[in-house]
Amino acid sequence: MVRSVRDMDIEGKRVFIRCDFNVPLDDFLNITDDRRIKSAVPTIKYCLDHNCAVILASHLGRPGGVHDPKLSLEPVQKRLSRLLVPSVQLSNDVVGEDTQEKVKNLKPREVLLLENLRFEKGETKNDENFAKKLADLADFYINDAFGVCHRAHASVEAITRFFDEDHSAAGFLLQKEINFSRNLLKNPSRPFIAVVGGSKVSGKLQALKNLLPRVDKLLIGGGMAFTFLKAQGIDIGNSLVEEDLVDEATFVMARAKELGVKLYLPVDVVAAQTCSQDSTMKFVPTQEIPKGWMGLDIGPATTRLFREALNDGQTILWNGPMGVFEIPKFSRGSTQISHTIAEAHATTVVGGGDTADVVARSGDADDMAFISTGGGASLELIEGKELPGVKPLYNKDED
Ligand code: AMP
């Protein structure tokens, strides 16, 4: 078990909380989805209730180590001020003079949000000097940013070198994410069904291999299905394919057979000549994709097939959209699968930013048992990898 914020004696102290406030913004810098901010509130409130002076830090987008006003955390500060009781201050820099001054004057039960961590080059380089400057701001370190735990960045990994076991722990959100993912893989109620999609096999190959011995059924949709269909000798036209992974796809299918895992692939697709809303589309069986056309979503027969296959699931894990859901014409397959999973009488777990987005757009977010906030991180947990941000938060004598 990771160490919990509850295990630390933080009463009246200065705490640094690494949050994941990497929220989507529209062209006018409005936050379009504030779930990540809301999920950080329990840990922040716990610290405020223990009379802590709270320092919050997060990245937003990819400013590449320079100050970019468009990626300021100001919108996050405003939203946080509405969600938390005290008004939240924002410093003008990350570890500079303004931050030092504001931290010095920060009183118990007050909150200071640092500017975007990635305005400093040291953040993504896991730079120890930068991490030390962050660490010097507080007595305790709390990581509540699951979405970045698979990255060795200064505020996630290097910073932990400056806090001992009694002064560093996971926040409630991180604890929940990790325990949920681990338990899910260890003791799933059966049948355990994994639904995977998205663009590439390459990004999910290891996760697929790791899932195979654990699941009862594997449903593959999205762009990655075409590498498998090609491996079956089907002519997939211009659909997305990773030629160099066709052999791996054959291996995964053979291994599934050996293990008795039922593997489902699309039987029909929504095909078009270009990937745009105004292109002509048609529904075709996968064997009949016309020359020069590509499959951009699963078709109605596949949706029905997948619905049948999901029917008896007790645990359903979903990672990756079934089609190019960003374009309305190719979003129906993903929406339908989202509804089917949401309605299932099963423990339903959604991982990945895109998939969480599909679920939110389909209005199904409240009906899923668990939506992981971190896409890459949740995949790496499934792959069985040790996350660099989480490893330092285990006690030395535990796994
Ligand atoms: P990933 O990041 O690998 O999870 O992939 C997510 C992306 O896959 C989304 O942006 C989708 O638009 C894309 N995608 C899903 N299905 C297809 C498809 N059939 N062809 C091309 N791209 C797809």
Side-chain angles (χ1 to χ4, degrees):
M1 297 278 275
V2 282
R3 291 191 299 277
S4 165
V5 53
R6 279 182 198 279
D7 303 333
M8 300 193 297
D9 185 13
I10 56 172
E11 186 64 40
K13 295 288 181 6
R14 223 173 265 276
V15 296
F16 178 101
I17 312 179
R18 175 43 159 118
C19 300
D20 181 3
F21 295 145
N22 188 27
V23 288
L25 299 172
D26 67 14
D27 295 345
F28 308 101
L29 303 183
N30 295 305
I31 296 170
T32 53
D33 180 357
D34 68 356
R35 269 173 304 156
R36 287 186 170 178
I37 303 179
K38 284 190 176 138
S39 359
V41 167
T43 303
I44 302 172
K45 283 207 166 152
Y46 178 87
C47 295
L48 291 174
D49 288 347
H50 284 76
N51 299 311
C52 295
V54 177
I55 299 157
L56 304 176
S58 173
H59 73 285
L60 175 64
R62 295 186 172 168
V66 289
H67 191 107
D68 177 352
K70 280 204 220 80
L71 292 174
S72 163
L73 284 175
E74 199 181 330
V76 174
Q77 174 213 7
K78 290 195 175 135
R79 188 61 54 98
L80 272 171
S81 298
R82 283 194 3 226
L83 294 170
L84 298 170
V85 183
S87 70
V88 175
Q89 304 175 58
L90 176 69
S91 65
N92 298 333
D93 50 32
V94 188
V95 285
E97 263 174 41
D98 190 55
T99 294
Q100 301 299 338
E101 189 60 28
K102 288 197 165 106
V103 168
K104 205 170 76 194
N105 297 322
L106 196 68
K107 297 194 188 64
R109 290 184 303 282
E110 286 185 350
V111 181
L112 171 68
L113 173 64
L114 306 185
E115 245 315 353
N116 190 340
L117 286 162
R118 292 192 189 165
F119 285 176
E120 289 282 339
K121 287 198 172 56
E123 169 64 0
T124 52
K125 296 205 168 105
N126 205 21
D127 180 82
E128 205 167 67
N129 290 329
F130 173 59
K132 169 124 184 31
K133 285 187 194 156
L134 289 175
D136 285 345
L137 301 176
D139 310 307
F140 288 85
Y141 171 76
I142 298 166
N143 184 342
D144 216 12
F146 180 63
V148 282
C149 280
H150 60 310
R151 310 223 179 270
H153 287 174
S155 66
V156 179
E157 200 277 324
I159 193 169
T160 59
R161 300 173 205 161
F162 302 100
F163 294 92
D164 63 19
E165 290 189 3
D166 297 329
H167 293 80
S168 55
F172 298 122
L173 175 65
L174 179 60
Q175 234 185 315
K176 197 165 126 192
E177 294 259 16
I178 293 178
N179 293 341
F180 203 96
S181 308
R182 291 200 157 203
N183 288 339
L184 177 83
L185 291 181
K186 262 192 217 151
N187 306 311
S189 300
R190 293 188 178 279
F192 177 14
I193 308 176
V195 184
V196 290
S199 57
K200 289 192 181 141
V201 185
S202 45
K204 295 190 180 125
L205 187 62
Q206 203 42 51
L208 274 181
K209 285 186 180 166
N210 200 37
L211 277 171
L212 267 184
R214 298 163 205 260
V215 297
D216 302 292
K217 304 185 197 184
L218 180 61
L219 280 54
I220 303 179
M224 65 188 284
F226 295 101
T227 303
F228 288 83
L229 291 167
K230 172 127 198 187
Q232 289 188 333
I234 293 173
D235 185 354
I236 53 164
N238 279 1
S239 306
L240 195 73
V241 67
E242 284 165 286
E243 296 284 354
D244 50 332
L245 290 180
V246 172
D247 288 347
E248 284 282 1
T250 309
F251 169 81
V252 169
M253 288 188 286
R255 183 90 184 105
K257 202 164 193 178
E258 253 172 56
L259 292 165
V261 175
K262 296 178 185 73
L263 194 142
Y264 294 83
L265 288 170
V267 289
D268 67 341
V269 294
V270 180
Q273 281 172 300
T274 55
C275 187
S276 70
Q277 176 66 7
D278 40 310
S279 64
T280 309
M281 64 154 186
K282 54 181 169 186
F283 301 108
V284 287
T286 39
Q287 282 94 335
E288 295 175 29
I289 300 175
K291 212 174 169 38
W293 290 56
M294 52 190 151
L296 294 166
D297 192 11
I298 54 172
T302 308
T303 305
R304 280 199 294 277
L305 171 71
F306 282 11
R307 194 179 292 150
E308 277 302 312
L310 285 164
N311 210 12
D312 64 345
Q314 291 282 315
T315 306
I316 302 173
L317 172 71
W318 183 21
N319 195 309
M322 297 291 101
V324 184
F325 73 99
E326 298 91 336
I327 300 177
K329 219 170 214 175
F330 310 117
S331 66
R332 206 172 153 78
S334 300
T335 308
Q336 300 277 350
I337 293 299
S338 173
H339 292 338
T340 303
I341 295 178
E343 282 162 16
H345 292 280
T347 305
T348 49
V349 184
V350 176
D354 281 331
T355 323
D357 197 8
V358 171
V359 170
R361 287 183 196 207
S362 312
D364 293 325
D366 290 341
D367 296 314
M368 299 294 181
F370 192 71
I371 301 181
S372 174
T373 52
S378 66
L379 260 189
E380 292 198 11
L381 265 188
I382 293 172
E383 285 168 26
K385 280 194 193 151
E386 189 110 61
L387 306 183
V390 176
K391 196 171 167 219
L393 306 179
Y394 280 96
N395 288 329
K396 288 204 175 64
D397 46 352
E398 293 180 33
D399 69 311

